[in-house]
Amino acid sequence: MFVWRTLRGEWEGIVADPLRRLRRRGLPALSLAFLAAGGVIFFHAIAQHRTGATAVRLLGGVYADLPLWLALLRTPVSLYVPALDLPVWAGITQLFLAFALAELALGRARTLVISYATTLAGTLMVRVMLAIGPGWHGVGLPPEIGQVLDTGPSAAVVGLFTYISVVRRAPIVFTLTGGSMVWESIAVPNLAGREHLIAVGAAIALALFHECRRNRRRLRHEPMPPVVSGPVPARPVMPPGRPSLLA
C-alpha cells in the first residue's frame, strides 16, 4: 500500500497535474521548453561550419581558465551549446521534457532561476576545485581541467528534475535522478559528472529554502484561534435558609 500510494502521488504531482495545466493553457504554456530546445538545435546547426563554430565558442564557450566576468557573461548562452561528449538529439529530448515539466509545474520565472542557478553552481565549483588542486581526497582537480570546454544544458536538466521531485514529494523520481548522477560520477569520473552532483545539491538546497519560506508564510497567514473574553460569571447566590450545593 505504501508503494502504491507513493506511485499514485507521484503520478498525480509529476504527470497528471502538469497535463491538466497543459490542456487548460495550450501549447503557449510550453513556450520556454520550445525556446530551449530550439536554441540547442540552432547552435548545433551553426557549429557544423568553421565560422559558426568560432562564433559559438566566442559566445557560449565556457572554460574554467577564463576570467570570471567573461565566464559569467557566457554562461547563459552555454546552456544552449551542446556538450562535446553527449548525443545531441537525446540531450534535446531530455531538455525539452525537463523544461516543459518545470514550466507547467513551477512557472517560467522559477524555471529560469533554477536552471541558471544550478548551471552557475557547477561552473563556480569547478573553479573552487581547481584552486584546491589534485590530491585533496579526490575533491580537487588538476590544472589541465581548466582547458576543458564546459557547456551544455545537462546540469540545468538534472537540477530541474531534482527540484521538482523535492517540491512535489516524489522520492522515486528523486532516486532516479540523484542516484543516476551518483552512479555516473562513479562509473565515469569526469568533469560533467562532478557538475551534475553539484547541480543536484544546489537544486536540493533551493527546494528546501522554497519549502521553508512557504511554510513560514502559511503559518503567518493562518487564522489564530478565537480568544474568549468578557466578564467572569458570578457565583450564584442561594436564598437564605437553603443549603448551597457549592459550599
Side-chain angles (χ1 to χ4, degrees), residues 8 14 18 26 33 41 51 53 61 108 126 147 157 184 192 199 202 221 228 247:
R8 186 175 60 183
I14 300 294
I41 295 173
T51 304
R108 292 192 183 98
V126 169
Q147 298 294 327
V157 170
E184 176 196 8
H221 291 87
V228 179

Side-chain angles (χ1 to χ4, degrees), residues 82-101:
L84 296 178
D85 55 347
L86 293 177
V88 176
W89 295 106
I92 291 174
T93 303
Q94 295 177 2
L95 173 69
F96 182 83
L97 289 176
F99 271 82
L101 180 59

Side-chain angles (χ1 to χ4, degrees), residues 14-61:
I14 300 294
V15 180
D17 181 59
L19 285 178
R20 283 194 295 267
R21 298 187 183 190
L22 179 60
R23 286 197 301 267
R24 185 170 60 250
R25 296 161 55 187
L27 286 181
L30 301 179
S31 58
L32 189 60
F34 283 114
L35 178 63
V40 174
I41 295 173
F42 171 75
F43 279 102
H44 172 68
I46 65 175
Q48 303 307 308
H49 308 280
R50 180 175 300 178
T51 304
T54 303
V56 170
R57 179 177 57 82
L58 294 176
L59 291 174

Side-chain angles (χ1 to χ4, degrees), residues 9 13 21 29 42 77 114 164 181 190 197 199 206 215 221 235:
R21 298 187 183 190
F42 171 75
V77 182
I114 300 303
I164 293 171
M181 293 304 101
N190 55 10
L197 287 179
L206 291 170
N215 291 336
H221 291 87
R235 186 176 179 176

Side-chain angles (χ1 to χ4, degrees), residues 2 7 31 62 76 122 143 154 160-161 183 186 192:
F2 171 76
L7 289 173
S31 58
V62 175
S154 57
L160 288 174
F161 276 126
W183 171 252
I186 295 174

